[in-house]
Amino acid sequence: MFKLNRLFILILTWILVFPLIPQPSAASPAAKFKDRAYYEERGDIVWEVPTEDKCIAFTFDDGPDHRQTKLILDVLDQYNAKATFFVVGERVEKYPEIVKMQLARGHEVGNHSYRHPSFQGLNKSTMHNELNKAQRAIFQATGHKAVLFRPPGGFYNETLINVSKENHLKFILWSWHQDTKDWRAPGVNKIVKKVLSNARNGDIVLMHDYVANSTQTAEALKQILPELKKQGYAFVTISELLTHKAAPDHQLRKVIH
Ligand SMILES: [Zn+2]
């Protein structure tokens, strides 16, 4: 009877403890994962620049587009807003005059790859090629060297961060609470609400100036910009935002200049 009891306790202990023992096959990929704080503290990636200064950086991806970009540029001008356009290399070759216009009107132009592929699974030389060809397209169109890179879909890994560094580009993403999802054409009101109800100093807002059959982004800006201006915000380019000091109470989101 005593022996049976002991055996039972042994089996019960094993059942309870076994799931707690780390399994080598499952543990190793998790150990390699590095989260936002790791890259942010090293200054490898910028999501936002929490600062005491009242400023916000609007960014527009996937252009240029002969129609939508122009509409957006006109609204920005109306409110003396400066913004950043992350352009796609092959579209720059199609509409070089629009990229020139962006720079001439005081905005910043960043690299958003050449063909806008998904970078997941790409090898290092293909990544290099994408960034390099886009740099060349921007330079040929404008005589200007971009200093910022934003990957399509916000994808990042160690290799892409290194490729970006080797091309002398600063890796820029966006504030998680300012992802307007305007590429889905969710309705002007939804875009407006997303930005206005979340606006904080040093935010980087994600928008698009090339969305199929939609002018919602430009329409939303007509409501967003006057309201934020009334609240005292300045609208700055990413490079300008990076010169602002991080708020002292901010632990996680340090900015390396
Ligand atoms: Zn994109």
Side-chain angles (χ1 to χ4, degrees):
M1 191 63 198
F2 172 74
K3 271 190 179 174
L4 252 182
N5 267 348
R6 238 177 100 177
L7 186 67
F8 177 74
I9 289 168
L10 256 174
I11 291 168
L12 190 70
T13 311
W14 180 244
I15 289 169
L16 290 173
V17 167
F18 183 79
L20 304 175
I21 300 170
Q23 301 302 301
S25 59
S28 46
K32 278 183 194 160
F33 178 76
K34 292 177 182 121
D35 64 4
R36 168 172 171 167
Y38 173 85
Y39 291 113
E40 199 158 43
E41 278 170 20
R42 290 158 50 109
D44 281 344
I45 302 180
V46 174
W47 277 266
E48 55 207 338
V49 184
T51 166
E52 287 172 329
D53 308 320
K54 231 168 159 62
C55 56
I56 286 194
F58 281 83
T59 63
F60 302 92
D61 292 7
D62 299 355
D65 179 62
H66 63 296
R67 191 154 160 262
Q68 292 172 45
T69 309
K70 281 183 180 168
L71 287 175
I72 288 168
L73 282 169
D74 287 345
V75 186
L76 292 173
D77 271 0
Q78 229 183 308
Y79 297 95
N80 193 26
K82 303 298 177 231
T84 303
F85 292 86
F86 285 97
V87 295
V88 174
E90 61 182 9
R91 296 190 64 82
V92 172
E93 288 172 351
K94 205 169 165 191
Y95 302 113
E97 74 288 353
I98 294 177
V99 189
K100 272 188 213 158
M101 204 188 284
Q102 290 168 339
L103 289 172
R105 284 156 90 159
H107 305 292
E108 182 161 26
V109 170
N111 184 325
H112 194 42
S113 81
Y114 183 74
R115 285 176 306 113
H116 203 276
S118 162
F119 275 72
Q120 191 153 22
L122 288 191
N123 62 32
K124 192 172 181 184
S125 76
T126 313
M127 287 179 176
H128 251 299
N129 211 21
E130 276 291 330
L131 271 64
N132 207 266
K133 275 179 85 177
Q135 278 302 88
R136 228 178 307 151
I138 295 168
F139 190 78
Q140 271 168 8
T142 64
H144 171 83
K145 257 187 171 174
V147 295
L148 308 173
F149 170 63
R150 174 178 283 164
F155 173 82
Y156 62 89
N157 64 14
E158 206 82 21
T159 312
L160 186 54
I161 289 169
N162 287 332
V163 168
S164 174
K165 277 185 195 164
E166 284 158 22
N167 283 280
H168 312 289
L169 295 164
K170 184 102 187 148
F171 208 109
I172 308 292
L173 292 177
W174 56 85
S175 301
W176 286 344
H177 57 278
Q178 290 291 9
D179 182 353
T180 62
K181 303 229 183 325
D182 60 340
W183 54 271
R184 281 186 194 160
V188 174
N189 286 345
K190 273 204 173 154
I191 301 172
V192 172
K193 203 173 158 217
K194 180 81 184 174
V195 179
L196 292 184
S197 55
N198 291 307
R200 297 201 297 237
N201 297 355
D203 277 357
I204 298 178
V205 180
L206 174 61
M207 292 181 150
H208 296 79
D209 61 327
Y210 179 48
V211 181
N213 304 316
S214 167
T215 52
Q216 291 182 6
T217 305
E219 292 303 316
L221 280 173
K222 288 179 190 169
Q223 296 181 47
I224 293 167
L225 295 181
E227 177 53 34
L228 290 181
K229 198 169 184 174
K230 209 162 69 188
Q231 293 176 24
Y233 282 100
F235 310 114
V236 298
T237 62
I238 294 288
S239 283
E240 155 124 36
L241 182 66
L242 292 172
T243 67
H244 286 259
K245 279 204 184 102
D249 61 337
H250 217 279
Q251 297 269 310
L252 251 183
R253 302 168 199 162
K254 280 182 198 149
V255 183
I256 314 253
H257 295 296

